Amino acid sequence: MQVLDNAASFQYFLPEAILGLTLLLILILDLNKELSKSRLIAPWTAGVGLVLYIVVALALRVQLPEAITFHGMMANDAFTDFFRVFSGASALLAIFLSMHSKELEGVKIEYWILILGITLGMPVLAGANNLLMIYLAMEMVSILSYIIVGYLKKSRKSSEAALKYVLYGATASGIMIYGLSIIFGVSGTLDVLEIQKFLVNNPVGTGRIALFVGLVMTLAGFGYKISAVPFHMWAPDVYQGAPTPVTAFLSVGPKAAGFAILLRFTYTALAQFNPETGIFTPLKYLDITGLMAVLAVLTMTVGNFLAIQQNNTKRFLAYSSIAHAGYMLIAAATLSSLALQGVLFYLIAYFIMNMGAFAVAIIVINATGSEELTAFKGLAKRSGGGALIALLMMVFMVSLVGLPPTFGFVGKFYLFMSVIQAKLYWLAVIGMLNSVVSLYYYMRVVKHMYFDEPEDDKSLGLKGFVFPGVVASLGLATVVLGVYWGPIVTFVQESAQLISK
Amino acid sequence: MTLAWIILLPLLGAIINGYHAMSCTLRKQKVITGMVNFVGVGLPFIAFLIALSQGIPFILGAEEPLRETLFSWITVGNLHIEAGLCLDRLSTLMILIITGVGTLIHLYSIGYMKCDPGYAKYFAYLNLFLTSMLILVLADNLVLMFLGWEGVGLCSYLLIGFWFEDKAKAQAGKKAFIVNRIGDVGFLLAIFGLGVLLLPGISEGASIFNFEYIESKMSLIAPSTIFWMSSPIILTLLLFVGATGKSAQIPLYVWLPDAMAGPTPVSALIHAATMVTAGVYMIARLDFLFDAAPATLNVIAIIGASTALFASLIAIVQNDIKKVLAYSTVSQLGYMFLAMGVGAYAYGVFHLMTHAFFKACLFLGSGSVIHAMSGEQDIRKMGGLKKALPITSMTFLIATITIAGLPPFAAFFSKDHILWKTYSHGHTVLWVMGLLAAFGTAFYMFRLYFLTFTGKSRVSEEAKAHLHESPFNMTFALVVLAVLSAVAGFLGLPEVLGGHDWIKHWLNLGAGSAKAHSAHDHAMELILMGVSVAVAACAILLAFLLYRNGLEGPERRARAMQPIHNLLTNKFYVDEIYDAIIVRPIRSLSQSVFFRVVDQKLINEVFVNGSGKVLSWLGSCVSRIQNGFVNRYAFYFLLAVSVFLGIWVIN
């Protein structure tokens, strides 16, 4: 694999450059007094920039061969491109939701810049091939997230959440960088692919225990980013306190970026790849599978069981998102190429259904002003589009449970399939039992919407076709892709290509 | 995409009418009938025209099937299933019946369902049924076929229980669904079995359940075994279990008579012309597999002949006009399976086609009678309706003659082919059973005709007042179907009568068709034909003597044969037997064990309440951890890292 120098690497960095320029452009536009008064100019510019970003990323995916760029700092392969598109799309939707949320009425331009900044960090994290790069990208995503969570300066909840996030994040990042430094100390290199070479050639050599310590600490850092139990504690508080569109964004975009680096690091550094058969074999003496399986079981189970008890919509969705990280972790634990595809596939499904559920939550919070789950009572009977929104929410809930004929079912099928192919039957059984538990709390929302009477007679007051239209197309996608998912499989198969040795 | 449009058009109709029905119910508005008619009847008609345009080359002799791969449906590892359609001669015949007869019945429904509050919903369901049925016959692989198979089952359930406010009707729907489910398990197991056999040696990108692929792998399947038994036999037996459910054969036929709870056009379309023949179609589609399993074929022949005889005996004493036709359908389906069982696949399909015409005509005729009588279905309260319903009675008579098997009407040819094939294969006992069933058929059908349309009127004064012939859109369908049932038989004019047996050579199904020309005893065939006609004529004569003057005479005689009459009236007590040996034990087991012990004690107290307690205890523990103090969070983070480290290092 060729390692490119900075000048040759720049063409690979074109999409990110576009994103950076958009960010600067918004800052410049804001200097103009006339333009800065318009509340639409910044989000629209950001939106156009993101669309351009996705288009260029998709074009480069076809144009350029995969390569290691910036003297080994970044790996530009199909996997990175996948997360470019994914990050761009999730930011686009987050911006759209922010424009329609009452909580965020009258936000200043920094808000949009922060979202773009996080988006810039995510694909870099997904493509990081160097321990330092991993750390920098992780901090880029995290620090901007702290600020955006506390963006509602007048809300005590929001500020408290931000502060907790900072403190918890600082601990996690401290532990992770300590772990990274230990790995560097033992292997003598920062390059992920070189680390893999070292681990293969030195299976029982010196520094084994130190290596384990470093790896566990690093994985704890990744676990914090994907909110895996027991590194999840920040998530419920932060998700509840942050503005709802930010919660939606954090639960999809940065979480996916966390999965990206977890997958890249475990697949390229801790496993051997046979290019002829296309099979990954985990390095036996590290037993990474066992560690991740334990994490996965904890994450699913705690997430699901605590979700049952929640009465706050955002906290409920927070625990649900923890549980979904668990489902993806059980597949990731097997370190097989089928699992790699399964996780990418599930991320797409999770993106659509989770964003949909959050969009409905925003509509309900906008209309009732209440973040309690009881605000969903009698949603189907509310005027102003209640029947349609309730129907869509039901689709999202059914899909989050993983029932056919929805995309969530297909996604879960591929995840469990990879676990069963790896002969980890007990893990698949626990995963399925967890799905049963989740049925209870998702269906409780459906019960509220259809079988209970509304507590007040407020109208949902949906105006125009744009917002309901976007939510409806998410719902439609959930169902259509639940029946016809062929192209997604093809896309995911092409995307599950990592540069490895 | 042309083939896909045949499926998509009715689906579009179902979506439009379904949305319209839903929004009308929610907003409490009236249904826009004109729009519903236009969409509900127009789209299936366009589908019929497309089907015709695609089918004509096949009718004229094209052999190469038309294939359309819509998209790659399921891809997991090396398992690959495509959503593909395939049109060949067999499916051409089927889609023409489905869309053609389907359009006629939709047209008829405009009159029949005129004042029903669920008008739009009815058309939505009916269109959805057409979609599913078309998927079933156009599918080029077993899994897609199964999708259609389940879809028609769902629509059948929805339409049987269409008037679900009536508890008996809702229960009839449930019965149909549950009994079908039993059969579907067989179908599914067969799919799994095939998967297990074929998946290990699958080549890259091959669509595993594709009919063509399965056929090409017959050399692999034939010698293999599943559980020490030859796998073709096991697979075909499982598939046949599916067929007995969907096509109402012994022992799973019990749902079909109850299915008459649905609107009459539904009975005509779903429970006579199309859905119930799905089992026959499936066997014809998989002829190569069934050819490899002679034991299964014998089972099918025996079940088919028994069903034909058994149901025709029950039909003799039924007094509900639709129940007679329902048992008659079961009996005619028995003939089709008899044909399948003796390897005469083409004749089974031929009978399927003629049956679709005459039975749809009979059902629609009975619907016209019920419509005229304002819902009365008991033939003891009819009689002499010929004057009031001239077109209905005429078409009903034609269809009755057809089903009785008198030449030159359609069923004479199709049924006689089946009996002749049965005889020439040496199944003499089955042949006798078929002949007796034919006697029964002619008898009960003419009993029905005489009691309904001739003799003295037993109609109540109230009903007499508004007795009327049905509107044009209803009689139009009757006339078309009557003409078809009269002439369709000539497609299979046998060689002894100077024909070419066109349908058999055209369909060209099964290995039998290649070597069929060997021993053809023309004299014997003619003699048997004569026997059949004589038997039918005797039955008609007997029915005429007994029932031309109404019911008094026969009822006196029935009293003389009380035990047999009771046995027949109670349909051989099959429902009661099933109730006693299956339903009741399950129910008492669920009452005593599953409800009292498992549900109340184990699930309710241990799992639900117990887990609730454990959970809230656990929850309080965890929420004590999740207490909002971020310094604790940091501590737990470190603790977790240390614990993981400890475990891993020890390992």
Side-chain angles (χ1 to χ4, degrees):
Chain A
M1 182 56 57
Q2 54 177 1
V3 179
L4 302 178
D5 62 14
N6 285 347
S9 301
F10 186 74
Q11 50 176 340
Y12 284 92
F13 209 59
L14 192 60
E16 279 76 21
I18 290 175
L19 212 52
L21 286 176
T22 314
L23 206 151
L24 291 176
L25 181 68
I26 295 176
L27 274 175
I28 292 167
L29 286 177
D30 193 53
L31 291 177
N32 182 315
K33 271 205 177 134
E34 288 303 307
L35 287 176
S36 70
K37 275 182 197 151
S38 160
R39 281 199 274 113
L40 289 178
I41 191 99
W44 272 100
T45 317
V48 171
L50 282 168
V51 170
L52 206 59
Y53 171 70
I54 294 173
V55 171
V56 173
L58 281 173
L60 284 192
R61 176 192 164 92
V62 191
Q63 290 286 320
L64 296 175
E66 57 178 21
I68 306 254
T69 52
F70 297 108
H71 295 294
M73 282 290 171
M74 298 279 297
N76 274 87
D77 44 24
F79 184 80
T80 313
D81 290 332
F82 176 88
F83 282 96
R84 279 175 163 160
V85 177
F86 192 91
S87 314
S90 61
L92 210 53
L93 213 53
I95 285 177
F96 180 79
L97 292 180
S98 306
M99 288 167 73
H100 290 87
S101 165
K102 273 193 187 160
E103 290 169 86
L104 290 169
E105 259 170 11
V107 286
K108 302 243 166 54
I109 65 147
E110 322 72 277
Y111 179 81
W112 315 107
I113 289 177
L114 286 170
I115 287 195
L116 283 185
I118 297 174
T119 314
L120 188 52
M122 292 191 297
V124 178
L125 183 57
N129 187 44
N130 184 296
L131 297 185
L132 279 181
M133 203 63 212
I134 291 176
Y135 183 72
L136 280 176
M138 191 98 132
E139 288 298 279
M140 178 160 185
V141 174
S142 293
I143 292 174
L144 295 178
S145 304
Y146 307 150
I147 304 171
I148 205 168
V149 165
Y151 189 78
L152 299 177
K153 276 164 264 177
K154 286 179 192 148
S155 155
R156 276 192 59 182
K157 262 188 352 191
S158 175
S159 311
E160 185 189 324
L163 188 62
K164 276 182 188 165
Y165 199 5
V166 174
L167 293 173
Y168 196 87
T171 317
S173 111
I175 287 174
M176 187 177 90
I177 197 161
Y178 191 17
L180 293 177
S181 69
I182 294 174
I183 296 176
F184 173 63
V186 176
S187 66
T189 172
L190 285 168
D191 190 296
V192 173
L193 295 176
E194 295 296 320
I195 292 172
Q196 191 254 9
K197 214 184 271 174
F198 169 81
L199 291 176
V200 171
N201 297 335
N202 183 25
V204 280
T206 46
R208 193 170 154 201
I209 290 192
L211 197 64
F212 286 166
V213 173
L215 281 176
V216 167
M217 288 177 150
T218 310
L219 289 178
F222 297 158
Y224 145 76
K225 202 75 233 156
I226 62 171
S227 63
V229 178
F231 314 115
H232 70 291
M233 302 220 143
W234 60 277
D237 294 3
V238 168
Y239 283 12
Q240 188 181 356
T244 318
V246 172
T247 311
F249 183 50
L250 288 184
S251 72
V252 175
K255 180 174 279 206
F259 262 104
I261 191 58
L262 175 72
L263 291 171
R264 180 179 290 281
F265 187 77
T266 48
Y267 274 77
T268 54
L270 310 180
Q272 266 180 302
F273 181 66
N274 183 341
E276 270 154 36
T277 56
I279 292 173
F280 289 95
T281 1
L283 296 175
K284 275 281 167 319
Y285 70 105
L286 289 174
D287 190 27
I288 193 79
T289 299
L291 181 71
M292 281 173 57
V294 173
L295 266 184
V297 170
L298 279 175
T299 309
M300 282 188 299
T301 317
V302 171
N304 275 322
F305 278 83
L306 284 181
I308 292 180
Q309 300 194 321
Q310 303 310 318
N311 296 317
N312 177 291
T313 309
K314 280 150 80 180
R315 220 174 159 81
F316 154 77
L317 287 170
Y319 280 111
S320 134
S321 98
I322 291 175
H324 283 275
Y327 299 134
M328 288 185 264
L329 267 178
I330 59 171
T334 64
L335 287 190
S336 66
S337 53
L338 201 60
L340 189 62
Q341 295 167 15
V343 174
L344 296 189
F345 192 91
Y346 198 78
L347 278 172
I348 300 178
Y350 174 71
F351 170 88
I352 295 174
M353 58 201 184
N354 207 47
M355 279 293 191
F358 267 106
V360 174
I362 289 172
I363 292 174
V364 171
I365 292 170
N366 277 351
T368 63
S370 158
E371 289 189 358
E372 296 301 301
L373 273 178
T374 50
F376 279 91
K377 279 190 176 170
L379 183 62
K381 291 164 195 143
R382 280 189 197 273
S383 55
L388 174 71
I389 297 300
L391 181 70
L392 291 171
M393 188 63 170
M394 186 175 74
V395 169
F396 298 132
M397 291 291 117
V398 167
S399 181
L400 282 166
V401 179
L403 296 178
T406 59
F407 202 22
F409 164 74
V410 187
K412 246 181 199 167
F413 174 77
Y414 278 95
L415 287 183
F416 290 151
M417 175 82 197
S418 66
V419 178
I420 285 169
Q421 288 228 326
K423 299 202 163 56
L424 293 167
Y425 301 112
W426 62 276
L427 205 52
V429 168
I430 294 178
M432 283 171 202
L433 288 177
N434 261 292
S435 298
V436 178
V437 173
S438 75
L439 183 69
Y440 170 76
Y441 61 82
Y442 289 124
M443 284 306 119
R444 200 174 54 168
V445 178
V446 176
K447 185 223 158 211
H448 275 333
M449 294 191 301
Y450 282 97
F451 296 109
D452 294 341
E453 292 300 319
E455 291 183 337
D456 48 48
D457 53 359
K458 283 177 188 154
S459 158
L460 275 192
L462 282 176
K463 285 189 202 89
F465 287 101
V466 181
F467 194 25
V470 168
V471 187
S473 37
L474 286 174
L476 198 64
T478 311
V479 176
V480 170
L481 293 174
V483 183
Y484 171 47
W485 61 88
I488 306 282
V489 169
T490 323
F491 180 64
V492 159
Q493 277 172 345
E494 287 163 5
S495 301
Q497 309 288 339
L498 288 159
I499 295 181
S500 31
K501 282 184 181 164
Chain B
M1 275 300 281
T2 333
L3 287 182
W5 276 111
I6 303 177
I7 295 172
L8 288 176
L9 284 172
L11 181 64
L12 191 69
I15 291 171
I16 295 174
N17 278 338
Y19 183 78
H20 186 58
M22 201 167 72
S23 65
C24 284
T25 319
L26 281 176
R27 300 197 185 121
K28 303 196 171 59
Q29 285 169 339
K30 281 195 86 178
V31 171
I32 308 167
T33 335
M35 201 271 296
V36 174
N37 293 344
F38 187 71
V39 171
V41 183
L43 292 178
F45 182 63
I46 300 174
F48 170 67
L49 292 181
I50 300 176
L52 200 61
S53 73
Q54 295 299 305
I56 281 175
F58 290 103
I59 297 172
L60 296 179
E63 277 186 353
E64 197 52 40
L66 189 63
R67 291 176 203 286
E68 257 180 33
T69 304
L70 299 180
F71 52 85
S72 157
W73 188 20
I74 298 172
T75 309
V76 186
N78 52 4
L79 172 69
H80 182 68
I81 299 168
E82 278 178 343
L85 305 178
C86 166
L87 188 71
D88 58 3
R89 291 177 169 184
L90 178 60
S91 43
T92 301
L93 186 71
M94 292 301 290
I95 61 169
L96 287 178
I97 294 173
I98 294 163
T99 53
V101 177
T103 308
L104 283 176
I105 289 173
H106 277 71
L107 186 68
Y108 177 93
S109 300
I110 293 178
Y112 192 81
M113 299 297 289
K114 199 165 62 193
C115 301
D116 198 276
Y119 193 75
K121 188 173 78 170
Y122 171 84
F123 276 95
Y125 286 168
L126 216 54
N127 277 350
L128 188 64
F129 167 77
L130 282 189
T131 310
S132 314
M133 192 69 205
L134 288 165
I135 292 177
L136 197 163
V137 296
L138 282 174
D140 77 345
N141 64 68
L142 269 176
V143 180
L144 193 61
M145 188 186 200
F146 187 71
L147 184 82
W149 187 272
E150 291 293 286
V152 292
L154 170 73
C155 296
S156 154
Y157 160 76
L158 290 172
L159 285 163
I160 294 170
F162 185 72
W163 291 307
F164 55 83
E165 290 94 344
D166 182 341
K167 199 172 173 213
K169 291 179 175 168
Q171 268 175 345
K174 278 195 276 181
K175 185 174 179 182
F177 199 73
I178 292 168
V179 173
N180 264 299
R181 196 100 267 110
I182 300 170
D184 294 346
V185 173
F187 197 131
L188 263 185
L189 285 175
I191 297 181
F192 295 158
L194 262 177
V196 170
L197 282 180
L198 294 180
L199 204 50
I202 188 96
S203 51
E204 185 75 30
S207 189
I208 179 168
F209 294 114
N210 200 309
F211 297 123
E212 216 183 6
Y213 183 78
I214 300 172
E215 190 168 6
S216 72
K217 292 287 170 187
M218 273 313 285
S219 55
L220 192 86
I221 299 171
S224 65
T225 55
I226 301 175
F227 298 129
W228 311 287
M229 274 179 75
S230 152
S231 38
I233 292 180
I234 291 234
L235 292 174
T236 48
L237 277 177
L238 287 170
L239 287 168
F240 182 58
V241 169
T244 56
K246 192 85 21 202
S247 296
Q249 294 298 293
I250 292 173
L252 296 181
Y253 72 92
V254 287
W255 65 272
L256 187 58
D258 287 21
M260 297 302 129
T264 309
V266 170
S267 312
L269 178 60
I270 301 184
H271 305 120
T274 52
M275 182 188 90
V276 288
T277 59
V280 181
Y281 169 77
M282 183 256 286
I283 294 178
R285 176 55 72 205
L286 291 167
D287 54 353
F288 51 88
L289 192 62
F290 282 85
D291 269 339
T296 314
L297 286 180
N298 284 335
V299 172
I300 295 175
I302 292 166
I303 297 256
S306 317
T307 312
L309 180 58
F310 184 76
S312 79
L313 287 178
I314 297 177
I316 290 175
V317 297
Q318 295 301 312
N319 288 323
D320 181 321
I321 185 167
K322 284 179 75 182
K323 279 272 160 78
V324 177
L325 295 177
Y327 279 106
S328 155
T329 306
V330 175
S331 165
Q332 297 297 315
L333 287 166
Y335 276 117
M336 295 177 211
F337 279 99
L338 177 59
M340 294 299 171
V342 297
Y345 302 110
Y347 296 134
V349 176
F350 183 36
H351 197 57
L352 184 164
M353 179 185 80
T354 58
H355 176 254
F357 297 145
F358 65 73
K359 191 49 73 59
C361 183
L362 288 171
F363 263 115
L364 295 185
S366 78
S368 177
V369 170
I370 296 167
H371 191 65
M373 300 277 298
S374 325
E376 183 56 61
Q377 303 196 3
D378 193 335
I379 48 175
R380 284 170 301 191
K381 294 179 187 153
M382 296 178 186
L385 293 179
K386 198 151 76 172
K387 275 191 209 106
L389 306 169
I391 302 175
T392 308
S393 71
M394 197 58 220
T395 51
F396 204 91
L397 181 63
I398 293 174
T400 307
I401 298 173
T402 309
I403 188 176
L406 288 187
F409 294 98
F412 165 73
F413 298 108
S414 55
K415 198 194 290 181
D416 226 62
H417 272 307
I418 295 174
L419 289 176
W420 160 242
K421 278 289 161 197
T422 312
Y423 183 84
S424 66
H425 271 69
H427 298 291
T428 319
V429 179
L430 297 183
W431 175 74
V432 172
M433 285 164 82
L435 207 58
L436 286 175
F439 181 84
T441 309
F443 181 75
Y444 68 71
M445 278 315 299
F446 271 92
R447 168 179 176 270
L448 181 66
Y449 177 76
F450 289 134
L451 284 179
T452 311
F453 292 103
T454 66
K456 250 186 279 162
S457 173
R458 298 178 298 280
V459 183
S460 66
E461 289 305 317
E462 198 188 333
K464 225 173 215 166
H466 47 84
L467 213 53
H468 61 280
E469 179 60 284
S470 301
F472 172 71
N473 51 25
M474 289 167 77
T475 48
F476 175 74
L478 287 174
V479 172
V480 173
L481 287 169
V483 170
L484 282 174
S485 45
V487 302
F490 289 101
L491 291 178
L493 195 63
E495 278 156 17
V496 279
L497 297 179
H500 295 288
D501 216 349
W502 180 79
I503 190 99
K504 186 187 122 187
H505 299 293
W506 184 67
L507 279 170
N508 192 23
L509 291 169
S513 56
K515 53 167 187 179
H517 298 287
S518 51
H520 220 125
D521 190 343
H522 284 265
M524 197 63 198
E525 191 176 347
L526 276 176
I527 292 170
L528 291 185
M529 228 176 248
V531 172
S532 310
V533 176
V535 162
C538 287
I540 294 168
L541 191 65
L542 190 61
F544 176 71
L545 291 174
L546 280 172
Y547 291 103
R548 94 203 115 138
N549 288 326
L551 273 163
E552 294 83 16
E555 269 180 357
R556 209 173 48 240
R557 280 184 206 95
R559 271 194 291 280
M561 302 189 290
Q562 200 66 28
I564 300 178
H565 192 257
N566 274 350
L567 188 66
L568 290 180
T569 326
N570 290 302
K571 307 150 201 163
F572 292 96
Y573 296 100
V574 171
D575 276 319
E576 285 76 8
I577 293 169
Y578 282 1
D579 192 54
I581 62 170
I582 298 170
V583 180
R584 288 236 189 102
I586 288 180
R587 195 174 287 163
S588 66
L589 194 68
S590 22
Q591 261 297 330
S592 58
V593 180
F594 290 108
F595 180 65
R596 297 247 167 75
V597 180
V598 177
D599 187 77
Q600 293 211 309
K601 291 272 176 337
L602 198 65
I603 294 183
N604 205 14
E605 284 180 20
V606 178
F607 286 147
V608 177
N609 292 343
S611 66
K613 275 177 200 149
V614 171
L615 269 182
S616 53
W617 177 76
L618 269 179
S620 66
C621 291
V622 182
S623 54
R624 217 174 294 150
I625 295 173
Q626 186 85 36
N627 58 1
F629 290 112
V630 77
N631 49 350
R632 298 271 175 83
Y633 291 2
F635 170 69
Y636 292 128
F637 191 109
L638 291 179
L639 190 70
V641 171
S642 328
V643 169
F644 275 117
L645 264 179
I647 296 171
W648 209 18
V649 169
I650 289 165
N651 271 353

